[in-house]
Amino acid sequence: MKPTSITLYLALAIVVTQMACQSMAGKMASDIRDIDIEAEKAAIREVVAAETWAYYQQDFTSWKNTYVNAPYFRMYGYWEGYPEKVKYHNGFESLQTVKQEQFQQNRTLWQGSIEESTNENFRIYPEVAWYTFDQVSYDKATRKLLGRSLETRILEKHNGQWKIAYLGFHYFPGEADHS
């Protein structure tokens, strides 16, 4: 090829690439504009509440259905009440094994507690969302403070349903009874 041909070829490649990128960016912007943000926030809150309800009911199947059951799932959490203080699971199978045994042995803490969420922050895209919030947990009968935490959820849409792909929590130490 002559230098002029190379220059023409490179110019053509740049123009085609730029047009493809502009088309993709326009589609992504359109997809984001088409999202009903309030409906998606409600659906995200519902899946988080469903996970919590199923956990306290020790309903393993319902609990499991709120998660992305994949090796890339992650859970990282801190709670002063854990002997090791920090717990983590890389891959859903690890968490699933622990929770299935916990539910079978009826070792779920804070059953029947009430959770209140404030300071919510959402970033919602067509197939992925992240949600952060402050949470306060109370004993249902006495309203005694059980714990305060900073919570993070990263969710993905699977077959039109939000599922938790990342579960993060950091409980403030020393503010509650951890029994």
Side-chain angles (χ1 to χ4, degrees):
M1 266 195 240
K2 295 180 183 178
T4 308
S5 298
I6 293 172
T7 305
L8 183 58
Y9 176 74
L10 287 173
L12 183 59
I14 290 170
V15 168
V16 169
T17 302
Q18 184 177 22
M19 289 172 58
C21 289
Q22 287 175 343
S23 175
M24 182 183 281
K27 179 167 178 14
M28 288 174 57
S30 172
D31 288 348
I32 291 171
R33 281 192 304 267
D34 292 342
I35 295 172
D36 181 343
I37 296 294
E38 293 308 314
E40 296 297 352
K41 285 180 181 180
I44 289 167
R45 286 182 188 111
E46 283 177 26
V47 76
V48 170
E51 185 274 341
T52 302
W53 179 87
Y55 173 81
Y56 289 137
Q57 295 299 310
Q58 299 182 72
D59 179 343
F60 181 75
T61 302
S62 296
W63 173 86
K64 181 181 174 186
N65 287 335
T66 64
Y67 285 96
V68 173
N69 302 307
Y72 62 85
F73 167 84
R74 296 292 186 262
M75 186 219 81
Y76 302 139
Y78 169 84
W79 180 49
E80 194 174 71
Y82 293 141
E84 63 276 78
K85 306 301 182 223
V86 174
K87 283 197 177 185
Y88 67 95
H89 294 277
N90 292 327
F92 187 74
E93 189 174 317
S94 170
L95 177 63
Q96 172 181 289
T97 300
V98 168
K99 291 302 177 191
Q100 192 167 25
E101 181 180 315
Q102 179 184 8
F103 290 2
Q104 287 172 349
Q105 295 176 1
N106 194 24
R107 292 185 292 121
T108 302
L109 299 176
W110 300 358
Q111 289 184 23
S113 68
I114 298 169
E115 281 68 40
E116 295 176 355
S117 300
T118 59
N119 197 27
E120 294 177 304
N121 183 46
F122 291 89
R123 294 296 293 165
I124 301 172
Y125 303 95
E127 301 298 319
V128 175
W130 58 270
Y131 172 41
T132 60
F133 53 99
D134 300 349
Q135 181 172 277
V136 179
S137 299
Y138 299 98
D139 180 273
K140 188 175 184 174
T142 66
R143 292 287 292 174
K144 180 180 177 182
L145 176 69
L146 296 171
R148 296 179 194 276
S149 60
L150 303 174
E151 302 280 334
T152 303
R153 303 293 184 278
I154 298 174
L155 303 100
E156 295 179 346
K157 268 202 178 165
H158 289 256
N159 298 318
Q161 299 295 312
W162 288 110
K163 304 272 185 175
I164 301 166
Y166 171 82
L167 168 67
F169 57 89
H170 301 84
Y171 278 87
F172 289 93
E175 290 192 27
D177 175 20
H178 299 293
S179 56

